[in-house]
Amino acid sequence: MSSLSHATIHQEVRRYGEELAKLQEGIALGQACEGEVKRRKVRVIFLEVDGVMVRRQRSKKRRLEIKVGVGYEGWEEIGPDGKIRRLVRPWVFAGVYESVEAFWEALTGELERRYEIDDETIIVVNGDGAEWIQKTAREYLPNAIVQLDRFHLRRMVRQAFGGKVEKGLWELLQKGDDEAFLDTLESLVSKAASEQKRQDRRKVVAFIRLYREHLLDYRFRLQDGERRYTSEFEGIRLHGLGVVETVLDKKIANRMKKRGMAWSADGAGAMVAFLVSRGNNELKEALSGLLGPDVLNPASVKEAVCPGVKKAGKEDPGDWLKGRIRALGSPIEGLWMRVLHDLVSPQWSAV
C-alpha cells in the first residue's frame, strides 16, 4: 500500500497555508469579502497586540517576527465562585508582515470586518512597550485607550529598582496616582549602588515618561476622560489584561519556536494562517472538503472566511477549501486528516 511521505505533507500544508494566508490578508484589507456581512455592534473591544520571534532560514536576518492581535468583548465568569473566567467571543489575527504599517492596516481592517465601529465604540489596546505597538496604535486607532501591559511594566520596574520598591510603587499606581509613581522613580535613580544601575534606572524612567499616557490601567480611563476607577462598565465586569502572552506561547511559539525549527517568511506565514484558522474555529470546516476538485476554489473559501455573508442558493459549507493531493493510490483522506488533527482541534477559547 502506498503511503503519504513527510515531504508531501509538508508541501501540501504549505501550499494550502499560503493560499489561506493570502486570502486572510485580502479579507482583512476589505479586498475579498463581498455581499452583506453581519458585523457586531459592541460598546467595548479589547485588543491585545504582541509579537514573537522565530528562527529564520536562508537569510542574513537570523530572526523573523510574527505579529499577533487577540481581540475579545469581555469576560464570562464561570464556576461557583466566579474566579474562573473565559473570554467572550475571542478571535486571533496574526501574520508575517514586511512592515509595521502593513500589519496595522490589516488588523484594523479585521476590526472593521468584525464590528460596526463608530464614535461610541471604545477600543482598549494592551501592548508590552514595543515601539511598533505603543507608538503606532493611536495612528491607526486615534480614539483608543492604549495601556502598557501590567506584567511587562512591573517586571521592568522590578529589574531596575528591586522587588520591594516595585511592590510599594505598584500600590500607588493601583490607586491611580501615576504622578507620585513617576516622581518616586525619579528620586530613586541617584540612590542606585553603581553607575550602571543608575543608567538602567534612567532608561526605565525615560521609557515611562515617553508613554506616560499609557501608564494608568484602562479601568481609570473609561469614564469620558475622568480619572476614576471602575470595576464594571455598561454591564461588563472588568478585569486585567494579558492573555496574548498565553496565546503566543501555547498556540504559536510551541509549534514554531520551541522545537528548534527555522522558517522562511512564506513558510512561517503559511503555518500561522493554519494556526489562526484553527484558533478562530474555521480550519476544521476547511479541511473537511479537502479532497474536492483539482483546483482551490477561492469563492468557496471566501464564503467560509467571511462570516455572515449571505449565500445565494444551497451550497455545501464544507466545500470552501478544496484541492488535490498528488499521491495517487494512497489512503489520503484518513492519513491526511490524522496528520492535521493537531491543527484542527484546539481553539483559542481554551486559553
Side-chain angles (χ1 to χ4, degrees), residues 214-351:
H214 304 171
L215 189 55
L216 278 185
D217 188 289
Y218 78 95
R219 287 168 285 191
F220 283 97
R221 297 185 276 159
L222 282 173
Q223 302 288 353
D224 297 324
E226 296 182 16
R227 293 164 60 91
R228 178 164 56 88
Y229 185 87
T230 178
S231 60
E232 186 171 332
F233 182 75
E234 299 194 7
I236 305 173
R237 287 188 60 83
L238 304 175
H239 300 281
L241 310 181
V243 300
V244 69
E245 287 284 339
T246 303
V247 171
L248 285 174
D249 185 56
K250 292 186 177 180
K251 308 302 183 181
I252 295 180
N254 189 53
R255 176 63 183 84
M256 301 183 66
K257 184 176 180 179
K258 295 184 177 179
R259 303 180 188 184
M261 296 179 177
W263 303 82
S264 66
D266 290 341
M271 179 54 70
V272 169
F274 267 111
L275 296 174
V276 167
S277 295
R278 175 191 65 176
N280 290 334
N281 202 26
E282 297 167 350
L283 186 57
K284 191 169 185 177
E285 187 180 31
L287 296 179
S288 67
L290 201 58
L291 294 178
D294 288 345
V295 182
L296 188 70
N297 186 342
S300 298
V301 178
K302 187 187 302 183
E303 289 164 0
V305 184
C306 299
V309 175
K310 291 187 176 180
K311 303 175 185 179
K314 295 182 179 179
E315 298 176 327
D316 181 4
D319 290 338
W320 71 276
L321 181 57
K322 298 179 178 180
R324 160 175 76 88
I325 305 297
R326 297 181 294 275
L328 300 178
S330 64
I332 297 171
E333 183 174 3
L335 178 57
W336 178 257
M337 298 306 288
R338 287 198 301 272
V339 168
L340 292 176
H341 183 271
D342 284 344
L343 289 175
V344 177
S345 300
Q347 301 178 16
W348 305 116
S349 56
V351 171

Side-chain angles (χ1 to χ4, degrees), residues 158-210:
R158 183 169 59 251
Q159 289 175 345
F161 292 86
K164 290 183 180 180
V165 171
E166 178 266 321
K167 185 177 180 180
L169 288 175
W170 195 252
E171 292 178 358
L172 290 174
L173 205 56
Q174 290 296 85
K175 296 176 182 177
D177 197 346
D178 55 334
E179 185 173 351
F181 175 85
L182 265 170
D183 288 345
T184 304
L185 282 181
E186 288 188 325
S187 69
L188 293 173
V189 169
S190 62
K191 297 182 180 180
S194 66
E195 180 56 32
Q196 182 60 54
K197 287 287 185 180
R198 286 191 286 274
Q199 289 181 10
D200 293 341
R201 291 184 177 187
R202 290 190 193 100
K203 289 179 181 178
V204 170
V205 172
F207 173 83
I208 293 175
R209 285 283 183 194
L210 181 63

Side-chain angles (χ1 to χ4, degrees), residues 35-226:
E36 186 177 341
V37 179
K38 184 179 180 180
R39 297 185 294 168
R40 289 183 54 75
K41 175 67 174 175
V42 298
R43 187 71 167 93
V44 184
I45 303 168
F46 298 93
L47 183 62
E48 302 195 26
V49 184
D50 206 343
V52 60
M53 305 296 292
V54 298
R55 292 174 59 196
R56 188 166 189 165
Q57 337 177 300
R58 299 185 295 274
S59 174
K60 293 181 180 179
K61 296 181 179 180
R62 300 179 61 184
R63 300 287 178 180
L64 183 70
E65 185 172 33
I66 299 167
K67 291 181 168 59
V68 180
V70 179
Y72 50 99
E73 299 170 19
W75 300 262
E76 178 185 2
E77 297 179 352
I78 58 178
D81 54 5
K83 292 184 178 180
I84 301 175
R85 299 185 296 272
R86 61 186 174 197
L87 303 180
V88 174
R89 295 186 181 87
W91 52 273
V92 174
F93 185 84
V96 178
Y97 291 88
E98 294 182 357
S99 68
V100 171
E101 292 75 17
F103 169 77
W104 279 105
E105 287 174 3
L107 180 57
T108 52
E110 181 73 358
L111 281 168
E112 291 283 355
R113 180 175 77 89
R114 290 178 176 273
Y115 298 103
E116 292 183 21
I117 298 176
D118 56 28
D119 292 340
E120 299 297 318
T121 308
I122 298 173
I123 300 177
V124 179
V125 179
N126 188 62
D128 66 355
E131 181 177 337
W132 67 269
I133 302 173
Q134 308 302 145
K135 185 176 180 179
T136 313
R138 293 290 293 273
E139 295 178 13
Y140 289 86
L141 301 168
N143 299 320
I145 296 174
V146 184
Q147 173 186 281
L148 279 168
D149 181 72
R150 307 291 91 180
F151 170 79
H152 289 89
L153 179 58
R154 293 191 70 169
R155 184 178 64 180
M156 184 190 310
V157 174
R158 183 169 59 251
Q159 289 175 345
F161 292 86
K164 290 183 180 180
V165 171
E166 178 266 321
K167 185 177 180 180
L169 288 175
W170 195 252
E171 292 178 358
L172 290 174
L173 205 56
Q174 290 296 85
K175 296 176 182 177
D177 197 346
D178 55 334
E179 185 173 351
F181 175 85
L182 265 170
D183 288 345
T184 304
L185 282 181
E186 288 188 325
S187 69
L188 293 173
V189 169
S190 62
K191 297 182 180 180
S194 66
E195 180 56 32
Q196 182 60 54
K197 287 287 185 180
R198 286 191 286 274
Q199 289 181 10
D200 293 341
R201 291 184 177 187
R202 290 190 193 100
K203 289 179 181 178
V204 170
V205 172
F207 173 83
I208 293 175
R209 285 283 183 194
L210 181 63
Y211 298 118
R212 169 72 181 269
E213 63 180 293
H214 304 171
L215 189 55
L216 278 185
D217 188 289
Y218 78 95
R219 287 168 285 191
F220 283 97
R221 297 185 276 159
L222 282 173
Q223 302 288 353
D224 297 324
E226 296 182 16

